[in-house]
Amino acid sequence: MKESHPVKETVEKIIDRLTDAVSGRPSGVIPGKPGSVTPSLEEPTEPRPPAPPGHDQRGPDPFTPTGQPTDVPQAALAQGGEYLTTAQGTRLPDTDHSLKAGPRGPVLLQDHHLREKITHFDHERIPERVVHARGAAAHGVFHAYGTASAVTRAAFLAQGAETPVFVRFSTVLGSRGSADTVRDTRGFATKFYTDEGVFDLVGNNIPVFFIQDAIKFPDVIHAAKPHPDREIPQAQSAHDTFWDFVSLHTEATHHTIWNMSDRGIPRSYRTMEGFGVHTFRLVDAEGATTLVKFHWKPKAGVHSLVWEEAQLISGVDPDFHRRDLADAIESGAYPQWELGIQVFPDTPEQTFEGIDLLDATKIVPEELAPVQPVGLLTLNANPGNYFAETEQVAFHTGHLVPGIDATDDPLLAGRMFSYLDTQISRLGGPNFAQIPINRPHAPVNDMLRDGRHQTAVHSGVAPYKPNSLDGGCPFFAGAGEGGYVETPVQVPAARKVREAPASFADHFSQPRQFWLSLTPVEREHVIAAYTFELGKVYEQPIKERVLTVLAEIDPYLCGQVAQGLGLPAPAPAGPLPPVEPSIALSQLGRTWPTVGRVIGIVADENSDLDAVRAVRRTILDGGMVPLVIAPAGGLLGAGGADPVTVQRTFATARSVEFDALLLAGAPAPGKDAYGARDAKAGGGLPVAAGVDPRVLLMLAEAFRHAKPLGGWGDAGRALGAAGIDTSAPGVLVTGDDGDGDGNGGGDRALEGIVRLLGQHRVWERFPPAVAIA
């Protein structure tokens, strides 16, 4: 008899209803159109107002600098008018020529337009974030299930509450111009614009941190950043200073093994888990407290790249993750996550099952404390302006609302200080909360005055308390009036010391648990990651020291990495701790939705275009993105009644852009398929096979990256020319007549491909050597 879970069933019904409500995807839209207006061949000369934003874009909600809702439409916050003007609104007849004393004469100092234009350009950039500089973001909405009301009085978590959000994803180490797919931790920061003030949940895609105390934060970042003498390597941990630090500071071991796993190279932001990292305290309506950890669970599943694929993408498309996020939203495949909480009793020890909840390098396995869903996050709009929104958004762990409180986690305490401090430096002063993307959706009466970039026009004469000249306003709000009241936690008597509790000293049991929880395929990837990273380290003693750390995790892991480095494997210092694996730590073994996945359809003029059209429509109807890849741009079957639009060419496409490939036959070499024009076509021999060599390269790459491959008609010949056995796992080829569906077997091939995509990759194609201990 199936066990009944009333809460789970209720939550699933709510999810289905909310998913239906936000799934208004534009029919047949292929994402990537750069503007909302189709350009003319000639430069337009007839005055017209600015183009509207794209259907997928919106700006910050229109609130005043002091959190008051306005009737001002979002469009009124952007530029207006048909004519070019100065910053003061004076119309201009020209912006191509400086004001000079004659056509060949000196430029005149009185040219205000020149000085204003150049001066503003010289000051366009602001300091980038020290960490998390490289980011992408989106607007969305959070729907609460009401299941958290038992443990918190936070209004945005009450039954039926809907809260606008802005979410920023990021890498940690790289500069703003670095690549998206480097091996790194990812930020997952969510700004909830609640009626009670802003709540920022500032987390990562890895549930633990490198350090236990914020005083070490400058050290770990200095170690992980490029070397200060050469400023290399950019956005990478594969270098001496990083491994020198983490091998000496072994509390970093747990985060490091997560980073060396597939979690360090996610497939997309849409397929990342998010974690609040720290333990927080929730307070209910009666004042009772509970300790919790926050989790974001992606509806699309947790998926990653393979390492070679990540490296290729860094060169082919360094904007891969931000493009994927924006394209998914534009095409209506809205990314979704469930917010969940792990709940623990708020005891004086602040521990659970022997795990110290104040240690940010530890997790609580989900088998011990299940993640309970409390709401659904849907990202449904792209920003209208990257700088104004994604770059200027300011998060802070201290932005809390009634019902959510901080704990004594020493890392969290330092973040409470650091975030406010850095925003003042980056955003030019203390009024960064008045920037539109940061404005609260609750009235602000903070008595803070003046400062750089003050955009509010405050009234009154008494910005102090107590006062009578302003009638005593603003007044205090207790808990009954929605005031934020810190939980009166009893602090035990203690001495002032620079020490950590004894429970913080265990640096290896949870990394060992993580390793033992991975599938054989995932373990192979961890071995390869450590071997690659340490192979980039110059100093031999650092490599040897890391091996002594790995020996405390697992002898097989240590031995395999040592073998790759050509070094002896050290023995552990003592018996390894007994741990229980946690199935929740593995990304594999489940089936996930395929919404938003990208399928490449390789075709040419000799392909059955009716089958191509049918398959393309089926992919769109399934919420996925079909991209037709052909020898040249334009249209296939241009002379027919229903030509097929080409999105990629053999010259511009690369396998890393697609989750799966479908072959509509065996495309012949294109007219540009020679090495002098396109190096990917070099070699000569594949051309003799009668198939475009760039298609063969795509197929070979996709095959070794464990992606599903399919096709119909003469597809088997193309696969054979690429050296791919059509009987290999995840390779699905149907005949010309297919199953009698009238499209050459395309639908049958697609059906098999989509089924495989639900598991993300065809891992059984390459059996691992790692044995389960």
Side-chain angles (χ1 to χ4, degrees), residues 662 709-712 732-734 739 745-754:
L662 278 173
L709 299 173
W712 62 93
L732 306 168
V733 178
T734 60
D739 50 7
D747 275 351
R748 190 151 58 99
L750 175 61
E751 181 182 351
I753 290 295
V754 172

Side-chain angles (χ1 to χ4, degrees), residues 95 143 164 229 257 329 410 440-441 478 489 732:
T95 193
H143 299 264
D229 54 350
I257 195 171
I329 293 172
H441 294 190
V489 177
L732 306 168

Side-chain angles (χ1 to χ4, degrees), residues 225-249:
K225 284 284 191 176
H227 293 198
D229 54 350
R230 299 187 179 189
E231 185 62 10
I232 55 174
Q234 175 62 242
Q236 297 181 55
S237 54
H239 55 88
D240 287 64
T241 59
F242 173 81
W243 288 100
D244 184 40
F245 176 83
V246 299
S247 60
L248 290 169
H249 199 65

Side-chain angles (χ1 to χ4, degrees), residues 307-604:
W307 181 228
E308 186 200 27
E309 188 182 16
Q311 295 177 85
L312 286 171
I313 294 171
S314 289
V316 173
D317 185 4
D319 305 306
F320 184 74
H321 282 157
R322 62 172 60 179
R323 188 187 314 280
D324 175 272
L325 177 68
D327 283 356
I329 293 172
E330 182 185 347
S331 62
Y334 299 140
Q336 292 185 314
W337 292 258
E338 272 195 306
L339 179 63
I341 54 175
Q342 285 181 298
V343 180
F344 320 105
D346 189 359
T347 62
E349 297 78 19
Q350 298 179 92
T351 62
F352 182 77
E353 298 288 339
I355 301 167
D356 196 322
L357 298 175
L358 300 187
D359 183 352
T361 68
K362 302 291 194 299
I363 66 165
V364 177
E366 293 184 28
E367 289 79 4
L368 298 179
V371 175
Q372 304 176 29
V374 299
L376 182 68
L377 167 67
T378 302
L379 298 183
N380 54 20
N382 286 310
N385 184 281
Y386 182 92
F387 178 82
E389 301 171 77
T390 307
E391 186 64 16
Q392 291 196 119
V393 66
F395 297 94
H396 192 333
T397 51
H399 292 165
L400 303 171
V401 292
I404 304 177
D405 203 349
T407 57
D408 295 330
D409 178 338
L411 177 61
L412 178 59
R415 293 180 74 191
M416 293 286 205
F417 171 83
S418 179
Y419 280 63
L420 181 62
D421 194 45
T422 194
Q423 306 302 355
I424 293 173
S425 174
R426 285 195 65 245
L427 299 174
N431 292 310
F432 60 86
Q434 296 182 13
I435 296 171
I437 193 61
N438 295 322
R439 290 176 183 175
H441 294 190
V444 174
N445 195 346
D446 53 20
M447 295 196 302
L448 305 177
R449 293 294 185 269
D450 307 336
R452 287 188 178 183
H453 310 304
Q454 175 61 256
T455 58
V457 183
H458 293 299
S459 61
V461 296
Y464 53 84
K465 289 287 290 180
N467 76 74
S468 63
L469 290 176
D470 281 347
C473 188
F475 296 91
F476 296 120
E481 294 78 34
Y484 186 89
V485 181
E486 287 80 4
T487 307
V489 177
Q490 183 69 40
V491 179
R495 299 174 294 112
K496 286 195 296 185
V497 294
R498 292 189 182 272
E499 298 175 5
S503 58
F504 279 39
D506 177 9
H507 299 163
F508 300 121
S509 63
Q510 289 211 343
R512 176 165 171 75
Q513 179 185 52
F514 180 78
W515 165 259
L516 294 178
S517 300
L518 300 180
T519 63
V521 167
E522 292 169 303
R523 294 190 195 183
E524 291 282 12
H525 296 166
V526 170
I527 291 168
Y530 273 108
T531 305
F532 177 91
E533 295 258 326
L534 293 171
K536 294 286 188 177
V537 170
Y538 183 88
E539 296 290 354
Q540 195 83 344
I542 295 176
K543 300 179 186 180
E544 295 174 1
R545 193 189 310 137
V546 175
L547 290 175
T548 66
V549 173
L550 296 183
E552 302 302 322
I553 299 175
D554 186 81
Y556 188 83
L557 168 62
C558 180
Q560 291 298 299
V561 175
Q563 179 177 294
L565 298 176
L567 294 171
L576 298 181
V579 295
E580 288 293 326
S582 168
I583 192 173
L585 299 180
S586 171
Q587 295 183 187
L588 306 186
R590 282 157 284 183
T591 301
W592 302 98
T594 58
V595 172
R597 293 307 187 97
V598 180
I599 298 179
I601 307 171
V602 183
D604 64 6

